[in-house]
């Protein structure tokens, strides 16, 4: 007798996961989906705390198919995930960290969303437990979207539902040479290759748990690993997208999330050798990928710090970081009939410093919070006209196409 293919394979990479693993596995047993539709592949990555033994106990009593693989420690999450992915047989794959847990209806809701819309990646709402979780993408359910027209670029963790056929067709695996940010690389590639992405925002599907022992992988590692991660993600975007607005809007993510924190208050506390090394590591990334299209999508203080990194001016950079760390507010400077607003962070207008005034120019989304600023009349008219055209095109598209872009006439 041939067994039916499971709907979803849950891949768990586990290392020294006790006691968090207990609730993790309980959350799989509590799924509303029929156990026959779930497959679990659990990889114990050389644990010495009873993780492997507990996984085997779970496999013996669980109502769904569970395969436990025990191996020598690989040093990171990529290896176990790749092993699990290689053994998966489900239509979809979900990567579950052993110290986190699923919401009770998570798998059923995400699989239903993917099947209803024919999408290749589904994001389920994430809630933090003793740690922060991404928030900007959970405003509402999205039946079908993409990485360019949503905020999903700011959640690149691996805890998503992926259509396995997509992963196999493109030979996608986690980069085992990266010690951090490997999930960002994998997930961004999936977003770019996917035939649509869905978002389940009205039900918590995933609980991101902060460990009391501080051993969560994202909290560990040298600062140099962050530059490796940024370099890898920037390189992927360069390979997969031509120069232009689409690449720029996604390039914001590695600059803002991975690179910029290296030049925050922590920079002031580090010794001269580390500061110099950080600037040396950042230099080639700034030369290759920093441009006006990326810069204009950032707030002034973000853009200014990165511009000073690109200029290799640690002296000016330290002044700006200290200004921000002291929670000082920049003086707003209105020009051109109050349609241009500059924020006078340190060295604004200084010929000696040589930082162009455009770096201090606030974009409308930031400028609108300052009294006295107003939109330029031409800009207001053009934006309204563009919105009207986009709405009209959207109505035409919905009228003549189905959910996967196929003609309905």
């Amino acid at each position: 007798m041939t067994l039916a293919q499971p709907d979803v394979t849950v891949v768990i990479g586990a290392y020294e996961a006790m006691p968090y693993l207990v609730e993790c596995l309980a959350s799989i047993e509590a799924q509303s989906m029929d156990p026959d539709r779930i497959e679990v592949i659990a990889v114990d990555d050389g644990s010495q705390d009873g993780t492997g033994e507990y996984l085997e106990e779970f496999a013996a009593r669980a109502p769904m198919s569970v395969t436990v693989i025990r191996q020598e420690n690989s040093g990171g999450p990529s290896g176990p995930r790749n092993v699990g992915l290689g053994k998966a047989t489900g239509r979809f794959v979900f990567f579950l960290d052993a110290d986190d847990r699923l919401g009770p209806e998570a798998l059923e809701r995400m699989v239903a969303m993917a099947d209803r819309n024919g999408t290749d990646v589904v994001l389920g709402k994430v809630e933090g437990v003793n740690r922060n979780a991404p928030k900007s993408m959970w405003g509402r359910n999205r039946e079908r979207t993409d990485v360019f027209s949503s905020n999903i670029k700011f959640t690149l963790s691996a805890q998503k539902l992926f259509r396995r056929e997509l992963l196999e067709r493109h030979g996608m695996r986690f980069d085992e040479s990266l010690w951090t940010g490997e999930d960002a690389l994998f997930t961004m590639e999936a977003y770019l290759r996917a035939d649509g992405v869905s978002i389940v925002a009205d039900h918590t599907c995933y609980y991101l748990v902060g460990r009391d022992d501080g051993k969560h992988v994202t909290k560990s590692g040298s600062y140099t690993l962050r530059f490796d991660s940024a370099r890898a993600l920037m390189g992927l975007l360069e390979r997969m997208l031509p120069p232009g607005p689409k690449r720029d809007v996604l390039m914001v993510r590695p600059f803002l999330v991975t690179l910029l924190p290296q030049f925050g208050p922590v920079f002031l506390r580090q010794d001269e050798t580390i500061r110099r090394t950080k600037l040396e590591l950042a230099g080639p990334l700034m030369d290759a990928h920093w441009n006006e299209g990326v810069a204009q999508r950032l707030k002034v203080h973000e853009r200014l710090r990165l511009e000073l990194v690109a200029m290799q001016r640690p002296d000016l950079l330290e002044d700006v970081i200290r200004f921000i760390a002291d929670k000082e507010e920049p003086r707003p400077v209105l020009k051109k009939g109050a349609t241009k607003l500059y924020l006078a962070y340190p060295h604004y207008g200084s010929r000696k410093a040589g930082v162009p005034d455009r770096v201090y120019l606030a974009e409308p989304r930031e400028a609108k919070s300052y009294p006295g600023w107003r939109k330029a009349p031409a800009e207001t008219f053009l934006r309204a006209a563009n919105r009207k055209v986009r709405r009209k095109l959207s109505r035409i598209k919905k009228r003549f196409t189905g959910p996967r872009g196929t003609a309905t006439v």
Side-chain angles (χ1 to χ4, degrees):
M1 182 178 67
T2 303
L3 295 176
Q5 181 186 25
D7 282 334
V8 57
T9 298
V10 180
V11 173
I12 304 174
Y15 174 68
E16 303 289 309
M18 298 298 287
Y20 302 92
L21 182 62
V22 175
E23 287 195 36
C24 173
L25 297 180
S27 76
I28 298 176
E29 283 189 288
Q31 288 302 294
S32 57
M33 178 180 281
D34 189 321
D36 290 340
R37 297 169 60 193
I38 302 172
E39 172 187 60
V40 178
I41 309 290
V43 181
D44 172 31
D45 199 35
S47 302
Q48 301 295 320
D49 68 342
T51 289
E53 290 78 7
Y54 192 81
L55 286 172
E56 290 177 345
E57 290 174 15
F58 176 74
R61 61 176 168 78
M64 67 280 296
S65 170
V66 180
T67 300
V68 177
I69 299 167
R70 303 183 71 171
Q71 62 181 34
E72 293 296 318
N73 182 253
S74 66
S78 292
R81 287 175 182 161
N82 286 339
V83 170
L85 181 54
K87 298 288 186 182
T89 66
R91 294 190 298 123
F92 297 94
V93 178
F94 189 93
F95 297 99
L96 171 61
D97 280 0
D99 41 14
D100 298 332
R101 59 182 185 267
L102 294 169
E105 300 175 21
L107 298 181
E108 185 171 25
R109 286 178 179 249
M110 287 189 288
V111 169
M113 178 71 90
D115 283 341
R116 184 165 64 250
N117 297 286
T119 44
D120 288 332
V121 183
V122 180
L123 288 69
K125 183 178 180 180
V126 178
E127 183 177 317
V129 180
N130 298 322
R131 63 178 298 190
N132 292 327
K135 295 180 176 63
S136 65
M137 60 293 304
W138 311 125
R140 61 184 175 88
N141 285 359
R142 302 284 290 271
E143 298 288 318
R144 174 172 280 265
T145 187
D146 59 55
V147 70
F148 303 106
S149 53
S150 68
N151 274 342
I152 63 173
K153 64 179 176 291
F154 290 114
T155 174
L156 296 183
S157 63
Q159 291 78 44
K160 316 283 189 291
L161 188 78
F162 299 93
R163 191 178 297 274
R164 192 167 64 87
E165 189 275 332
L166 172 77
L167 307 182
E168 296 304 329
R169 182 176 3 120
H170 296 287
M172 289 180 57
R173 293 295 186 270
F174 292 90
D175 187 340
E176 297 186 31
S177 71
L178 289 176
W179 292 85
T180 186
E182 77 296 327
D183 49 354
L185 202 64
F186 182 93
T187 303
M188 181 65 84
E189 182 176 353
Y191 286 165
L192 289 169
R193 296 192 184 281
D195 179 5
V197 177
S198 298
I199 302 175
V200 177
D202 62 353
H203 179 80
T204 300
C205 293
Y206 197 86
Y207 291 91
L208 192 67
V209 179
R211 293 180 61 143
D212 295 331
D213 57 13
K215 289 183 179 179
H216 196 278
V217 65
T218 58
K219 295 183 179 179
S220 61
S222 163
Y223 68 88
T224 60
L225 302 180
R226 310 297 172 181
F227 288 92
D228 292 340
S229 173
R231 186 182 306 109
L233 187 52
M234 290 174 178
L236 173 76
L237 296 175
E238 183 179 45
R239 291 190 302 273
M240 294 194 69
L241 296 168
K246 284 191 170 183
R247 184 196 286 183
D248 292 341
V249 75
L250 297 190
M251 199 66 77
V252 165
R253 202 278 181 185
F255 274 113
L256 189 61
V257 176
T258 310
L259 209 60
L260 187 62
Q262 299 304 318
F263 301 99
V266 66
F267 189 76
L268 300 177
R269 300 192 295 270
Q270 292 169 328
D271 62 40
E272 186 61 31
T273 299
I274 292 178
R275 293 187 194 186
R276 186 169 58 251
T277 301
K278 281 187 170 184
L279 287 167
E280 289 172 354
L281 290 170
L285 302 181
M286 305 305 295
D287 291 343
H289 305 295
W290 180 246
N291 60 47
E292 280 299 306
V294 177
Q296 289 174 0
R297 289 173 164 83
L298 302 179
K299 294 180 179 179
V300 171
H301 75 87
E302 298 163 345
R303 181 194 313 139
L304 176 59
R305 280 184 284 160
L306 288 168
E307 187 70 27
L308 294 175
V309 171
M311 294 170 65
Q312 296 286 295
R313 292 295 304 270
D315 52 334
L316 306 185
L317 177 62
E318 289 168 21
D319 292 341
V320 174
I321 296 173
R322 193 168 289 109
F323 183 93
I324 296 169
D326 290 342
K327 298 183 179 179
E328 296 189 50
E329 290 295 328
R331 175 175 55 89
V333 179
L334 289 166
K335 293 185 177 182
K336 292 195 175 181
T339 62
K340 299 288 185 182
L341 184 139
Y342 297 83
L343 296 179
Y345 284 95
H347 307 294
Y348 169 71
S350 168
R351 291 185 179 181
K352 182 179 179 181
V355 184
D357 283 356
R358 61 174 169 74
V359 177
Y360 297 85
L361 178 62
E363 292 297 311
R365 62 184 176 276
E366 185 176 8
K368 66 183 180 182
S369 64
Y370 287 84
W373 174 83
R374 63 188 184 88
K375 287 184 180 180
E379 180 180 290
T380 302
F381 172 78
L382 288 173
R383 289 192 178 201
N386 284 335
R387 283 197 298 269
K388 186 174 181 180
V389 170
R390 285 197 299 270
R391 285 196 297 267
K392 186 173 182 180
L393 290 174
S394 179
R395 287 196 296 268
I396 293 171
K397 184 178 179 181
K398 288 179 180 178
R399 182 178 177 185
F400 290 102
T401 62
R404 299 196 67 171
T406 56
T408 58
V409 293

